[in-house]
Amino acid sequence: MISQFFILSQRGDNIVFRDYRGEVQKGSAEIFFRKVKFWEDGGLEEAPPVFNVDGVNYFHVKVVGLLFVATTRVNVSPSFVLELLQRIARVTKDYLGVLNEDSLRKNFVLVYELLDEVIDFGYVQTTSTELLKSYVFNEPLVVDAARLPALGPASIFAQGTKRMPGIAVTKSVVATELGGRKREEIFVDIIEKISITFSSSGYILTSEIDGTIQMKSYLTGNPEIRLALNEDLAIGSGQGPVYGHRSSSGLGPVILDDCNFHESVCLDSFEMDKTLSLIPPDGEFPVMNYRMTQEFRPPFRVNALIEEAGSLKAEVILKVRAEFASTITANTIKVQMPLPQFTTRVSFELEPGSVGQTTDFKEANKKLEWSLKKIVGGYEHTLRAKLTFSQESHGNLTKEAGPVSMTFTIPMYNASRLQVKYLQIAKKFGTHEPHRWVRYVTQANSYVARM
């Protein structure tokens, strides 16, 4: 049960506000934003997703720069409320096509209609896009997708052998094309988030992949879909090592620790030929979630070294090497490294001819930041940083600095090698075939190298 729901912009503007129970003061949005903006509790850089102020519990998630917030005075499950906020964001995006401040302001009547159907007097009714279509009748005012930021979701999949259309993530589930005709197409995204910890000598200590197969269908009549995965796919952690092992296919088996499927998926033939059958509901939904802890080839190798360079001085050398094929390009890479607390100044030295790289020293939290616009597979990049200290170090520099953390996005690449072999649509579409799009993306969840 929640008392209020609101959506704030990055500036703190109240875009959407709904008070369901009248139990929390009206100024809660302003109190929340000031607390988040000037967070100073517990030594954290930013506010946690759940916190309490004067007896009011605040829950929030950040989605494409917008803050989705719920408040309540009662003791409810934080996981439940955070999941609800994520689902409200997903349903809103399904209906608006584009989720940003402009689309929310232009479609506030539709957004409030959605909220009234999703939540009644603080209690959740449904978050299913398909069920909501029976109760929500307003048409969305479509926002021009060309106004999306260059690094928005629409551009993540713009690299690869075949360019994916930006409409893949900017199309409403209820809006029709010009002329009233509906474009027949279906999108399948394999999204993986990697967690790896490297030792100081470069060995992998822990590794895990959290993956999901997302589907979004714009096919009329909701026909049956058949989705085929790797023939040598195995479920269960007791299947033996993967890394360095090859099967008859030459690529090696794909072994997942565990997985779960959407309620619409039929698994009758999954054990035999690894094929999933389903009738996709409207909107975006996860066909399959999976987890893999078997050893896999990491996309990046990170090496970090810090050593004294004289009185009150030290030098840091960071090296990042892309371990994937040269046909693949990673983008929006950021490397961060905490420095000794008595560091006062940092001067950076990039490679000659380096393009699209920026460096910064965050003096407030003593952290080095190195951003790279892109890295092509097979290439290595190096950063040198000269540190100046305010006092002599009496300890081990390697213990006072690090660990190095890294974030990135790699389109058309997946570390687990789980693949969609074919996407079959049961229904016949007359003279034309519907468009099928299968896309891969890998992102860093926790990518850490110890000093």
Side-chain angles (χ1 to χ4, degrees):
M1 181 185 70
I2 65 172
S3 298
Q4 297 171 331
F5 170 81
F6 48 90
I7 304 176
L8 303 182
S9 70
Q10 291 180 322
R11 303 181 304 276
D13 298 335
N14 208 335
I15 305 171
V16 174
F17 183 90
R18 178 64 87 204
D19 192 339
Y20 292 102
R21 302 180 64 84
E23 298 172 341
V24 178
Q25 64 269 35
K26 295 293 183 182
S28 56
E30 177 66 22
I31 294 171
F32 165 81
F33 186 72
R34 288 186 62 84
K35 190 70 174 176
V36 168
K37 187 176 181 180
F38 304 106
W39 185 265
E40 296 179 348
D41 191 11
L44 299 174
E45 295 181 26
E46 55 184 36
V50 183
F51 58 86
N52 183 287
V53 178
D54 298 330
V56 178
N57 299 314
Y58 292 87
F59 307 81
H60 77 281
V61 296
K62 185 178 288 187
V63 183
V64 291
L66 300 170
L67 289 165
F68 286 70
V69 190
T71 67
T72 181
R73 287 187 178 275
V74 300
N75 186 16
V76 297
S77 166
S79 300
F80 169 79
V81 180
L82 295 176
E83 176 66 19
L84 171 63
L85 294 176
Q86 291 283 4
R87 291 196 182 193
I88 292 175
R90 186 183 305 163
V91 168
T92 306
K93 181 179 179 299
D94 282 342
Y95 271 83
L96 305 188
V98 178
L99 183 57
N100 59 22
E101 184 177 346
D102 192 23
S103 66
L104 288 172
R105 292 189 185 280
K106 286 187 175 182
N107 292 280
F108 72 92
V109 175
L110 172 58
V111 173
Y112 277 108
E113 188 179 9
L114 281 170
L115 288 176
D116 289 341
E117 297 298 340
V118 170
I119 301 173
D120 184 21
F121 197 58
Y123 294 94
V124 182
Q125 304 303 305
T126 181
T127 56
S128 167
T129 303
E130 188 172 21
L131 291 177
L132 286 168
K133 289 179 75 172
S134 303
Y135 307 104
V136 176
F137 301 103
N138 277 292
E139 285 278 330
L141 298 174
V142 181
V143 175
D144 185 8
R147 298 173 61 182
L148 286 173
L151 293 177
S155 67
I156 288 180
F157 301 104
Q159 303 180 41
T161 56
K162 191 172 183 181
R163 184 179 177 86
M164 303 302 172
I167 198 171
V169 291
T170 62
K171 185 176 177 182
S172 169
V173 295
V174 293
T176 56
E177 303 295 314
L178 292 175
R181 183 177 60 84
K182 188 173 181 181
R183 179 182 169 96
E184 303 288 346
E185 53 190 348
I186 184 169
F187 300 92
V188 178
D189 299 332
I190 294 87
I191 303 170
E192 294 187 344
K193 295 188 176 182
I194 297 180
S195 299
I196 291 184
T197 302
F198 295 97
S199 69
S200 57
S201 54
Y203 291 103
I204 297 175
L205 299 175
T206 61
S207 60
E208 181 174 304
I209 296 175
D210 285 312
T212 182
I213 301 178
Q214 294 276 133
M215 181 178 287
K216 195 167 188 178
S217 172
Y218 297 101
L219 303 176
T220 55
N222 286 14
E224 183 183 1
I225 305 295
R226 288 177 61 83
L227 195 73
L229 304 177
N230 308 54
E231 293 179 357
D232 53 3
L233 175 64
I235 311 296
S237 57
Q239 301 288 337
V242 174
Y243 192 48
H245 177 74
R246 293 186 177 272
S247 68
S248 57
S249 65
L251 296 175
V254 176
I255 302 177
L256 308 179
D257 286 56
D258 51 61
C259 62
N260 58 67
F261 301 91
H262 190 265
E263 59 189 14
S264 64
V265 176
C266 176
L267 300 172
D268 291 347
S269 60
F270 183 71
E271 287 297 326
M272 185 185 304
D273 57 9
K274 300 300 182 287
T275 301
L276 306 175
S277 301
L278 68 151
I279 297 177
D282 290 321
E284 189 174 12
F285 69 98
V287 177
M288 171 183 172
N289 296 307
Y290 58 92
R291 185 174 63 94
M292 175 178 171
T293 57
Q294 298 285 330
E295 193 175 357
F296 56 88
R297 186 182 183 90
F300 290 99
R301 287 285 180 180
V302 184
N303 293 315
L305 176 68
I306 182 170
E307 55 186 6
E308 292 187 14
S311 177
L312 301 178
K313 292 185 182 296
E315 184 177 26
V316 172
I317 302 175
L318 288 176
K319 291 186 178 181
V320 175
R321 178 174 177 79
E323 295 286 302
F324 42 85
S326 59
T327 55
I328 297 172
T329 302
N331 54 41
T332 59
I333 303 100
K334 179 180 282 188
V335 182
Q336 295 184 322
M337 175 180 169
L339 300 175
Q341 288 300 311
F342 40 84
T343 304
T344 56
R345 189 164 60 88
V346 180
S347 60
F348 297 97
E349 181 184 335
L350 292 168
E351 300 167 309
S354 58
V355 179
Q357 299 185 33
T358 59
T359 56
D360 192 16
F361 170 52
K362 303 291 186 182
E363 192 169 0
N365 51 16
K366 307 296 182 183
K367 186 174 289 186
L368 174 156
E369 287 190 0
W370 178 24
S371 299
L372 301 93
K373 190 174 182 180
K374 64 179 183 179
I375 296 181
V376 179
Y379 280 77
E380 182 177 273
H381 295 276
T382 303
L383 171 70
R384 293 177 179 271
K386 298 185 184 299
L387 315 182
T388 302
F389 303 138
S390 59
Q391 64 184 61
E392 282 284 351
S393 171
H394 299 290
N396 190 340
L397 281 177
T398 57
K399 292 183 179 180
E400 296 173 354
V404 179
S405 60
M406 186 176 180
T407 59
F408 54 81
T409 299
I410 315 176
M412 305 315 293
Y413 172 87
N414 68 331
S416 70
R417 292 177 290 106
L418 182 70
Q419 293 184 347
V420 175
K421 294 300 183 180
Y422 67 79
L423 182 61
Q424 191 177 69
I425 303 171
K427 176 183 174 183
K428 299 296 183 183
F429 285 83
T431 58
H432 69 281
E433 278 290 312
H435 298 275
R436 301 172 177 88
W437 302 99
V438 179
R439 315 175 296 185
Y440 300 85
V441 65
T442 295
Q443 297 173 322
N445 185 33
S446 173
Y447 211 86
V448 175
R450 294 178 179 173
M451 299 292 291

